[in-house]
Amino acid sequence: MQRTGDLKLIQELNRSIILKTIQNYGPISRSVIAKKNKISSTTVTAAVKKLIKQELVYEEGEGKSTGGRKPILLRFSSDSKFIIALAITNSAIKIAETNLETKINRQEIYPVKELTGKPFIDYLLKSIGQFLEIYPNSNLKKCIGISVTSPGIISVDKAVIYENTKLKLKNVPLKEIIQKKFKLKVWLENDTNAIVLAEKSFGAYKKLKNLVYITISDGVGAGIIVNGHIFRGHSGGTGEFGHTSIDRNGILCDCGNRGCLENYINWSAIYSKVLASVANGKHTMMVELTKGDIKQITPYIFRDALEKNDQLAKEIMTETAAYLATGIVNIVNLLNPDVIILGGKLAYDNHFLISEVKKIVFKQALNILTDKLEICSISLGKDFRIIASAAIPLKEIFHFSISS
């Protein structure tokens, strides 16, 4: 005899498969859905009835008849509900409203202003409150919830940020805090894990099984997928790539270690090198791009100078690529991935960096492990952080849970 729990799980699985089919192939009839998935018409009819009630699917006119009555066509209702996608970095909080296909309808950026610890959490809650102000209570009924990504060591099961050394967060039950304040469902995930999962689900690398995503921005981290599954480790801390040591006598890091990779390749390190070089009399177009105030340089201005063949930008990026490649060689030799994806403010669409990294990695890593290895830029576009955040609840809608 089949248990009730088993039957419910099968029904949920069928609904998920049917919803995904409608999303990918709609407008589509019930009979075609049944044939595509080898599911009975009764099962399809029951699942579609539930999906229409949930406003995830709607009927859109009639299709062509192949004999008999014309079939009613179904389409995915991507704008019937929305997600509040929130991406925390060490320098800014991005909040956006997206539809059910990660299309951004509205976005705001709130600078962190060097806030850390409890003042940062208070500012985060205030920022979410400001973003939600325009929605009447009736409108929030259409909100699936708030999805949050953040750098740091995060327990997805306990929904706690165990540690973020830059923002000085330790054992923060962030999901519970936000849920209690705004009375909406909340998801919490490590930022690089969310991005690599989004690449696996929606990006150009979905057919590959072993992916490593590396972000180079205010901090440096990695998201790792092994044999199609996210690799979290014992405490959810897998992927702290920026805190792998490349010099035991090197720069003292916020984490307490010396020689951590991120202190040689993150934006802070590059910013310091630019300022020091200009102070020592080196010429760079970055001075003109910042209208004479080099302290106002941003990663985007730096990348602009790099694309325009600025000599200083090239020198600094070549050195940065050498440090980064040293870390990537270790990853290649340790994990043997199919692809290494580079992203973040410094690496996004940075062809010079990727080219320099490739030269070193393919020269220094074990030959057998670099055979067919790809090293490339993120494929999710410039809004990759928001897309990755929105993808977390979408994975739950279509596949039950992001960690499945």
Side-chain angles (χ1 to χ4, degrees):
M1 185 176 175
Q2 196 169 43
R3 293 175 299 176
T4 307
D6 291 343
L7 182 61
K8 189 177 177 184
L9 182 65
I10 290 165
Q11 287 171 341
E12 286 179 3
L13 179 58
N14 284 333
R15 268 201 306 278
S16 175
I17 291 166
I18 290 162
L19 180 58
K20 191 73 176 171
T21 304
I22 296 167
Q23 184 196 18
N24 288 337
Y25 301 103
I28 187 171
S29 68
R30 289 167 175 82
S31 59
V32 174
I33 293 169
K35 284 175 190 172
K36 266 187 179 294
N37 297 294
K38 298 179 181 175
I39 299 172
S40 74
S41 352
T42 311
T43 300
V44 172
T45 301
V48 166
K49 186 178 178 182
K50 178 92 174 178
L51 291 170
I52 289 174
K53 191 177 177 183
Q54 291 174 325
E55 298 183 337
L56 292 171
V57 165
Y58 65 93
E59 293 180 335
E60 187 192 66
E62 297 177 335
K64 289 181 182 177
S65 172
T66 53
R69 287 188 306 171
K70 289 182 179 180
I72 303 294
L73 300 178
L74 301 163
R75 190 180 280 278
F76 178 57
S77 186
S78 60
D79 293 316
S80 61
K81 298 178 187 292
F82 65 90
I83 298 159
I84 300 298
L86 196 155
I88 296 170
T89 71
N90 294 328
S91 61
I93 299 163
K94 289 185 178 182
I95 309 179
E97 176 200 306
T98 79
N99 75 356
L100 300 184
E101 289 183 310
T102 71
K103 179 189 170 189
I104 296 172
N105 299 322
R106 174 179 164 237
Q107 182 173 189
E108 300 288 343
I109 299 174
Y110 302 87
V112 166
K113 305 170 186 173
E114 298 184 358
L115 293 170
T116 58
K118 188 177 182 302
F120 170 79
I121 297 298
D122 292 341
Y123 177 68
L124 173 66
L125 296 175
K126 183 183 174 184
S127 301
I128 298 170
Q130 284 177 0
F131 190 85
L132 295 178
E133 272 176 357
I134 71 160
Y135 299 96
N137 287 335
S138 57
N139 235 34
L140 281 177
K141 288 178 183 175
K142 292 186 175 183
C143 179
I144 284 176
I146 301 173
S147 181
V148 182
T149 60
S150 170
I153 299 173
I154 292 174
S155 166
V156 171
D157 294 334
K158 294 178 182 176
V160 169
I161 297 178
Y162 280 145
E163 189 164 22
N164 177 310
T165 55
K166 289 280 190 294
L167 293 173
K168 294 183 169 50
L169 303 176
K170 199 155 190 171
N171 297 320
V172 178
L174 192 59
K175 176 181 174 177
E176 183 187 325
I177 291 168
I178 297 173
Q179 217 157 252
K180 189 176 178 183
K181 175 81 173 171
F182 298 104
K183 308 294 187 284
L184 289 166
K185 184 170 182 177
V186 176
W187 292 264
L188 176 65
E189 177 61 276
N190 169 270
D191 57 349
T192 51
N193 284 348
I195 292 165
V196 78
L197 282 163
E199 281 285 5
K200 178 74 179 109
S201 301
F202 309 111
Y205 314 106
K206 59 177 75 173
K207 290 184 180 177
L208 302 177
K209 288 188 175 181
N210 301 288
L211 298 82
V212 176
Y213 166 72
I214 296 171
T215 182
I216 306 110
S217 193
D218 304 311
V220 176
I224 301 167
I225 287 179
V226 177
N227 292 328
H229 298 278
I230 194 74
F231 184 52
R232 297 190 186 278
H234 175 66
S235 305
T238 299
E240 287 297 316
F241 180 54
H243 292 291
T244 53
S245 185
I246 59 167
D247 183 356
R248 62 179 186 156
N249 298 312
I251 302 164
L252 182 65
C253 182
D254 293 335
C255 74
N257 190 20
R258 283 193 176 275
C260 287
L261 177 63
E262 78 172 27
N263 293 312
Y264 297 84
I265 66 171
N266 67 3
W267 171 240
S268 179
I270 288 172
Y271 179 81
S272 298
K273 286 174 187 175
V274 171
L275 262 56
S277 297
V278 171
N280 287 330
K282 282 210 172 184
H283 174 75
T284 171
M285 69 172 66
M286 288 180 269
V287 175
E288 288 80 50
L289 292 172
T290 55
K291 296 177 181 176
D293 187 1
I294 195 65
K295 288 184 179 177
Q296 298 306 310
I297 187 175
T298 65
Y300 309 104
I301 290 173
F302 179 85
R303 273 178 33 218
D304 185 27
L306 185 65
E307 285 168 17
K308 290 173 177 171
N309 218 26
D310 181 77
Q311 190 57 36
L312 177 60
K314 283 173 70 177
E315 285 173 12
I316 292 172
M317 193 48 61
T318 300
E319 185 182 19
T320 301
Y323 283 123
L324 174 59
T326 300
I328 290 177
V329 166
N330 292 332
I331 285 179
V332 171
N333 289 348
L334 191 65
L335 296 176
N336 187 23
D338 298 310
V339 62
I340 292 174
I341 306 162
L342 301 181
K345 285 188 289 194
L346 285 165
Y348 174 69
D349 209 26
N350 188 335
H351 303 294
F352 183 89
L353 174 67
I354 292 171
S355 173
E356 291 298 308
V357 165
K358 276 183 175 180
K359 284 179 198 171
I360 299 168
V361 171
F362 284 95
K363 183 181 177 183
Q364 295 184 357
L366 295 172
N367 289 340
I368 188 67
L369 303 183
T370 56
D371 184 38
K372 296 181 182 177
L373 171 69
E374 294 181 59
I375 300 176
C376 36
S377 184
I378 195 164
S379 72
L380 297 172
K382 64 183 177 64
D383 294 311
F384 61 90
R385 288 188 182 279
I386 291 296
I387 290 168
S389 182
I392 298 167
L394 290 178
K395 284 286 286 183
E396 188 166 294
I397 291 168
F398 295 125
H399 304 290
F400 305 125
S401 111
I402 199 161
S403 57
S404 62

